[in-house]
Amino acid sequence: MARTNSKIPANDMIHSMPLLKIGQERTQAAAALQKELLEAYDHAGRAWLARVGSEVALWTELLTKLTATRSPSDTVQAYTKCVSQQMKMTAEGGQHLFNDCQEITQKLTKAMAHGWPSGGA
């Protein structure tokens, strides 16, 4: 018995098999979500790295000022200014962290609302 070798083009096979198309759409959605999340994490990481640099600069500046102080009141003033700036930076950092978490949560919530991913296949 002779066999015919008829190949179905890949695109036709995907369109003729709805489950494969659904799987492909879910894979694309998962990849898009992963890309969005990685971009958000990258953005947050860069912001925190800049924050660490600002923190180092702040404490380095305090050290420089302390070496130049001539009186206890100059020392207290330098510390007060530094601690005040530190508190401001901490508040801004907390707000930034909140915003980063909110952005990531919104991306995940949006993905879940659109039905991806579900527990089954």
Side-chain angles (χ1 to χ4, degrees), residues 8-88:
I8 300 173
N11 287 340
D12 290 343
M13 185 184 303
I14 289 173
H15 293 297
S16 67
M17 302 178 85
L19 289 178
L20 286 179
K21 187 175 181 181
I22 291 170
Q24 183 181 29
E25 290 170 356
R26 295 185 113 192
T27 300
Q28 289 171 348
L33 175 62
Q34 184 176 20
K35 182 181 177 189
E36 285 182 40
L37 290 174
L38 286 174
E39 288 171 357
Y41 295 145
D42 182 58
H43 177 16
R46 289 177 190 276
W48 282 105
L49 188 57
R51 160 82 187 199
V52 168
S54 297
E55 190 90 17
V56 168
L58 176 69
W59 293 108
T60 301
E61 182 182 345
L62 174 64
L63 182 59
T64 302
K65 287 181 180 180
L66 288 178
T67 58
T69 59
R70 301 284 179 211
S71 68
S73 65
D74 288 345
T75 303
V76 170
Q77 185 179 11
Y79 270 114
T80 302
K81 184 177 178 185
C82 185
V83 169
S84 174
Q85 184 64 27
Q86 166 66 41
M87 291 171 64
K88 180 181 175 188

